[in-house]
Amino acid sequence: MPLLGRAPRCQHTAGLAPPARIRRLMHNASQVAVAAALVLLSAGVVRAQSAGAANLERVEVVGRKTEVSQWFRAESPHFIVYSDTREEDVAPLLDNLEKLDRLLRAYTQPAGASVPQASKLTLYYHASPSGLRAFPGSVPVDAIGLYNSCADGVQGFGVHLERITALDDEQLEKAPLNDSLTYVFEAYARHFLSRHTDIRAPAWFVDGFAQYFSSVRFSTQQTAVGRVPRDVAGYLRFLGSGRRYHLEWEDVLAHRLGNAHGHGGEAGARLEFQAKSWLLTHYALSSDDNRKRLSRYLRLVGDGASPIVAFERAFGMTIADLGPLMWRYGLRGLQVVRGAPQSVPTAPISFHALTRGTGEFMLADAALRSCPDRRAGEALLKEVTALSARFPDDRLGQLAWSRAQIDWGDPQAALARLEAAWRDDDTDFEARYLAGRAQLSLAGRAEGEARQVHLLAARQHLQRARALNPRSAEVALAWFKAEVAAADTPDEAALQDVIAVWQTARDVNALTRFAALAYAFTGKGDDAYEALGSLAQNAQAPAMAQWAQQWQRRLETGVIRGDLLAEMRRTEVADTPVQEWTVNKRRVLQKVELGAGLEDAGPFLKGQQDPQNQAPGRSPAGDVGVRR
């Protein structure tokens, strides 16, 4: 049978109640923890995360208009956005992102828990999809967004597709879903799980969570959660019309997409996975009982159980029962959760015009921060060197050139330019940080007294950078490396600092690695095992996952502090960037529908070519629930 008989319909849920929170899951030393339990809605209601019109502040660049870049900077409490669109496009985007961030925190944090202050997330909001081509490496077909996490930072890249307009309360469930918000919300919700929780598996829940929150919409006073994303609905209608599906429910739970070669190819299989993941997530969040079962399910998966076995145990059904259940669930109509008014502070947004030179360096600097491979890194060094000749006095250009020299050229050459920068302005955090990186790189190439001199200088620069920006994951990581390289025994402050910063930036694998080792070094084996668990389940970083699994086994048998210190000092551990691409589902759905149409036309065209074979055959559209 098809997944759905027809497109799910939305129903307004009346009645308001406070959220029912599922607390953080506690584990023994032998268990892999899900570090942040879901704080889910009770009986169909969420507190509204409302905000008035943003407080806007503009900072102009003094000079001729030709000296001003089309790129500008916008900043709100949790985000920094660089964009080549317009201020009136970015202001509503930031306002909605701030509301979504508050909503996601309400879902994922225990009641009354203090929220550690994290560094602001940097986003690049392009005027067209072609802007993504500046990113090093191959870009997927129909790519429309990206989050890149690595030791040099975390950055998001999105595309402006249509104007974002304000919604009235009556429009929350009826207005067409805005594409710009849908894709940015999907990407941010997915990344929010990795940034603020230890949930890395199962893949269906991570994707379903992202799709579920992609369709959240806000008015001035209310919130609507649970609408069907447009292209998810389109794919479910496609299946409901009797089209062939290519993923069984056990394939969805186990994330087995490799053998699904249906309409639309690999992208089509991914869309089917996302559509079914959305439906299953909607079901799992639809009642108090289901939310309790979901909490148990995530705990079982976190403990290492198979996603299929864990589902049957937690939800009390066999996988054979799941397909019919999902079909009935879609037929009866899917609830849209409405929120009550709540007074929250208006998010201030400031705009800063940028110089032409800064705009020219913008994307090259972002690419350098993405941990590119050597080939791309050396190409970027040539690019920023050429740009530096054109804009020798641009601050971002000086920093980008210095970063490129540290990573792919001569760190010593970068030091002179960086020293001039921080001597001119001792509050220049970036110059201090990069100077510390340069000294740390030089220490790795030196021996004896020269090595100690470089390490001392690195520690001094990085200590100053930490004071200027104590929330920076990059600084915490570099300072910790300098400390463990310079001292026989790491300073307690360094150990605690890397743990504290990691708690606000769990999406940086290298930082998670050092936090786990720091926990173990201070005798907190349970916390170390838990931190390693998030790495061990991260399928996007297989080398780091393998490393984490090995160290979990070592912790189970016992590790001496000398081995931990030696591991902290290792530099050859694989730390490839984790990339989370967002793809335009509308185009994928069009390809899926086109592929199905061509398949339908096959027998007809064959019959036209062979007059001897005119007997009508059964249309695939009539084969309800056909499994390819």
Side-chain angles (χ1 to χ4, degrees), residues 540-562:
Q540 294 179 298
M544 188 67 82
Q546 184 180 17
W547 174 89
Q549 292 163 7
Q550 292 171 349
W551 272 89
Q552 282 185 316
R553 291 192 291 269
R554 294 190 65 175
L555 287 180
E556 290 172 354
T557 58
V559 182
I560 62 174
R561 299 183 83 191

Side-chain angles (χ1 to χ4, degrees), residues 80-128:
I80 295 171
V81 172
Y82 293 100
S83 181
D84 59 346
T85 58
R86 300 176 300 175
E87 289 184 5
E88 53 264 42
D89 296 323
V90 173
L93 173 75
L94 274 175
D95 185 54
N96 278 278
L97 271 173
E98 288 289 345
K99 293 174 182 177
L100 178 63
D101 182 80
R102 285 193 291 270
L103 180 65
L104 293 173
R105 290 173 191 272
Y107 265 73
T108 58
Q109 291 164 359
S114 60
V115 181
Q117 291 295 317
S119 59
K120 295 184 180 183
L121 187 63
T122 299
L123 305 173
Y124 296 85
Y125 192 55
H126 296 276
S128 73

Side-chain angles (χ1 to χ4, degrees), residues 6-7 14 64 73 119 299 469 540 547 572:
R6 53 188 171 84
R64 293 175 298 177
R73 171 186 167 119
S119 59
R299 183 175 65 243
N469 189 355
Q540 294 179 298
W547 174 89
E572 67 273 18

Side-chain angles (χ1 to χ4, degrees), residues 41 46-55 76-79 90-109 123 164-169 171-172 181 184-186 188-189 192 209 213-225 339-349:
L41 302 179
V46 64
R47 294 177 299 179
Q49 308 291 313
S50 62
N55 293 326
S76 65
H78 295 96
F79 302 93
V90 173
L93 173 75
L94 274 175
D95 185 54
N96 278 278
L97 271 173
E98 288 289 345
K99 293 174 182 177
L100 178 63
D101 182 80
R102 285 193 291 270
L103 180 65
L104 293 173
R105 290 173 191 272
Y107 265 73
T108 58
Q109 291 164 359
L123 305 173
I164 301 171
T165 58
L167 298 177
D168 297 329
D169 293 348
Q171 296 177 293
L172 286 178
L181 282 182
V184 170
F185 277 13
E186 174 193 340
Y188 184 63
F192 186 93
F209 185 89
F213 284 99
S214 72
S215 62
V216 171
R217 291 298 181 266
F218 305 95
S219 67
T220 302
Q221 294 293 325
Q222 291 199 358
T223 303
V225 184
Q342 182 189 25
S343 177
V344 296
T346 300
I349 300 175

Side-chain angles (χ1 to χ4, degrees), residues 566-577:
E567 185 62 30
M568 291 177 191
R569 291 173 173 164
R570 283 184 62 207
T571 59
E572 67 273 18
V573 177
D575 180 31
T576 56

